[in-house]
Amino acid sequence: MTPIQLRLANVVASIAYLLLFISLYESYISIKWAYLLLVYYEPSLWTVVKMVGLVSIAALSLSGRVDRPSSIVVWFLFAFVFVPTVAVSNLITYAPERFDLPILAMTAVFVASGFILSDSSPRRPAFHHIPEVFVLGMTAIWAVLSLLLFMRYFSILSFAGLDNVYEQRDLAAETKVGVLFSYGRTYYAAVFSPVLMAYGLAARRYQFLALGLLGSGLGYAIAAEKAALILPIIMLGIWQTRRMQLAYTPLYTASIAGLSAFCALLTNHTVIARYFADLILMRAIAVPGQTLSQYHDYFTIHGHTWWSHVRGISSIVPAPTGLSRDPQWPELGRMIGGAFFGFSSGQNSNANLFVSDGVAAGGWIGVLIIGAALVGWLRVLDFSTRQWPSTLVILLLVPVAMALTNGPLTTVLLSFGGLFWTAVFLITYQSLNSTNRTQRSAPIGRLGSGATR
């Protein structure tokens, strides 16, 4: 298929995904999860047309192929953030017009990313897999962290059911650990276990895949994070599509639409459909899609943060008076959770970068600014990974892409491997190019006996 055909196919798949999700939201999510304020109001014809139009414009902007870091990150944000945000924001109130500006700003970010991140230049991998010494080093760190985490959290380890995830997270939060240990646990789940899975799949060394899966299991047993269950499934699926040369954006979008259709048709009849509806479509899609409306209403009234909630910027930009008096400041998720669900619920309504670093920071203007920062960072990633095998790079970036769907950009960069992998890619890029320049400029006799003639 040509690039334009792939983009048009993605539009069709995206509209199907939107409509199927709306159907599931009406028939199941808004009924079972109404206590989380996921209520449903019948949309007008104009509202439906508006939703379809916005999703179509953004879908048309996406690359037709998932072949570089930016394409996997942008697709995750489109499928797990943009589409559900457009849907939920227009279904939970009789007056969804007040959310139009930030949603239009999000649409503009996707359109801009389609132009800025488009790149037709061929990739020239300098090596096939991560160097062995790096893999052994990552494995050693993984092993040490596995032992430390197992020993520290042994007394609370449990494979919690979907109805008990928050109790398990509370147990993990109540376990006293230092800051370094907390970062170690986060990097264990977001970097060290995933890199073993990615390497095991890309290099077909499945013993490393098994270790990574074991790490994901330990991570879930500690804090019942849904990403620990979803991540291996997504990585295996992406690897399989690339192995079969089917890494097309419309196919990925169609897979989410297919899951929505499966759940919409069978949720009331099968346990498996209910499981996927609760784990993925509700917790990973509907709840994050709800956050724009909550953050918009709260910070429009109490004042925007202008990024004063970000460590470092807070020393320059003072917090609005009404916000700084909140005992939960600067944890925006807990502030929203307390305001909408009551502080006794312990609800932490974390949000994606467009909401936490965009809407909360500066409304629709904030969305445009954080969108520009995102696109700039993705451009650096695309540039610095030209000499890496695309399958390996994309698998390594899946945890980062997933984290961006439910966390601020600064948090993902610092705590979920965003800056770590950016540094690794840039250092490798500079090292490889320095070696190539040295070889090109060296006298012929210095390249070895085989190159003297």
Side-chain angles (χ1 to χ4, degrees):
M1 296 179 70
T2 64
I4 187 61
Q5 288 175 329
L6 287 172
R7 290 173 183 254
L8 290 174
N10 191 49
V11 171
V12 174
S14 300
I15 293 174
Y17 169 36
L18 171 69
L19 297 179
L20 287 165
F21 175 76
I22 291 174
S23 174
L24 182 68
Y25 183 88
E26 176 189 6
S27 63
Y28 180 75
I29 293 175
S30 65
I31 297 173
K32 182 175 180 180
W33 302 98
Y35 71 93
L36 289 179
L37 306 183
L38 287 164
V39 296
Y40 174 83
Y41 291 96
E42 186 73 28
S44 66
L45 177 61
W46 159 246
T47 300
V48 174
V49 171
K50 178 179 66 175
M51 289 191 285
V52 170
L54 290 169
V55 168
S56 299
I57 292 171
L60 191 63
S61 303
L62 268 63
S63 170
R65 291 179 172 83
V66 181
D67 55 2
R68 54 188 184 275
S70 64
S71 57
I72 189 64
V73 172
V74 171
W75 179 80
F76 260 92
L77 290 173
F78 172 78
F80 287 83
V81 173
F82 183 75
V83 174
T85 295
V86 170
V88 178
S89 297
N90 284 281
L91 297 175
I92 61 171
T93 175
Y94 280 123
E97 295 79 13
R98 65 180 184 275
F99 309 128
D100 284 352
L101 282 178
I103 292 177
L104 284 171
M106 290 175 64
T107 308
V109 171
F110 280 96
V111 172
S113 71
F115 287 101
I116 298 172
L117 300 175
S118 61
D119 190 356
S120 60
S121 60
R123 301 178 62 88
R124 296 184 176 86
F127 49 87
H128 295 291
H129 300 297
I130 296 179
E132 192 78 10
V133 63
F134 184 77
V135 175
L136 293 176
M138 297 291 282
T139 305
I141 297 173
W142 174 89
V144 171
L145 283 175
S146 296
L147 179 61
L148 292 175
L149 291 172
F150 181 82
M151 293 174 61
R152 188 68 188 89
Y153 293 98
F154 176 77
S155 61
I156 69 164
L157 294 181
S158 173
F159 283 89
L162 293 179
D163 294 331
N164 301 317
V165 292
Y166 292 109
E167 290 84 348
Q168 185 64 26
R169 291 178 189 176
D170 289 340
L171 290 175
E174 291 169 1
T175 303
K176 301 299 182 182
V177 295
V179 175
L180 290 179
F181 205 97
S182 296
Y183 269 97
R185 195 185 91 186
T186 303
Y187 266 75
Y188 180 80
V191 175
F192 299 117
S193 291
V195 75
L196 296 185
M197 287 190 284
Y199 178 74
L201 290 170
R204 300 192 180 185
R205 299 182 67 177
Y206 300 119
Q207 64 272 30
F208 289 97
L209 171 63
L211 292 176
L213 291 172
L214 183 64
S216 288
L218 178 59
Y220 185 80
I222 292 173
E225 295 289 348
K226 62 180 181 289
L229 296 179
I230 300 174
L231 178 61
I233 298 173
I234 293 178
M235 292 182 71
L236 285 166
I238 291 176
W239 171 74
Q240 184 69 11
T241 60
R242 295 195 61 79
R243 189 176 70 86
M244 299 174 65
Q245 298 183 350
L246 294 173
Y248 300 125
T249 303
L251 180 62
Y252 286 13
T253 306
S255 66
I256 299 294
L259 177 62
S260 301
F262 171 73
C263 294
L265 294 173
L266 300 176
T267 294
N268 295 323
H269 303 285
T270 68
V271 174
I272 295 177
R274 285 196 297 273
Y275 177 81
F276 281 108
D278 291 348
L279 178 65
I280 298 179
L281 293 177
M282 194 285 291
R283 296 184 186 276
I285 295 180
V287 169
Q290 176 193 32
T291 56
L292 182 139
S293 59
Q294 295 174 334
Y295 277 65
H296 175 275
D297 289 347
Y298 184 86
F299 289 100
T300 297
I301 295 173
H302 295 85
H304 296 295
T305 71
W306 298 109
W307 296 279
S308 58
H309 63 280
V310 179
R311 187 175 301 175
I313 297 180
S314 59
S315 61
I316 303 174
V317 181
T321 304
L323 298 178
S324 60
R325 292 174 179 172
D326 192 311
Q328 301 292 335
W329 174 264
E331 297 186 46
L332 304 187
R334 295 196 179 278
M335 293 170 63
I336 295 297
F340 285 87
F341 303 101
F343 290 102
S344 60
S345 68
Q347 180 81 10
N348 187 356
S349 299
N350 289 327
N352 61 80
L353 76 162
F354 293 118
V355 174
S356 57
D357 285 337
V359 173
W364 66 270
I365 296 176
V367 173
L368 293 177
I369 292 174
I370 201 62
L374 170 71
V375 173
W377 171 62
L378 291 177
R379 187 64 178 171
V380 172
L381 279 182
D382 283 350
F383 171 79
S384 60
T385 56
R386 290 178 183 275
Q387 296 173 306
W388 283 66
S390 59
T391 297
L392 180 60
V393 170
I394 288 171
L395 291 176
L396 291 175
L397 266 295
V398 168
V400 178
M402 286 183 61
L404 281 173
T405 65
N406 196 38
L409 180 62
T410 51
T411 300
V412 173
L413 291 177
L414 294 173
S415 302
F416 290 88
L419 284 181
F420 174 84
W421 285 119
T422 303
V424 169
F425 297 144
L426 285 173
I427 291 171
T428 305
Y429 180 85
Q430 293 295 333
S431 176
L432 289 171
N433 281 287
S434 177
T435 301
N436 291 337
R437 286 194 298 269
T438 301
Q439 291 176 347
R440 286 196 298 267
S441 62
I444 293 178
R446 292 185 181 180
L447 294 179
S449 57
T452 56
R453 295 184 182 277

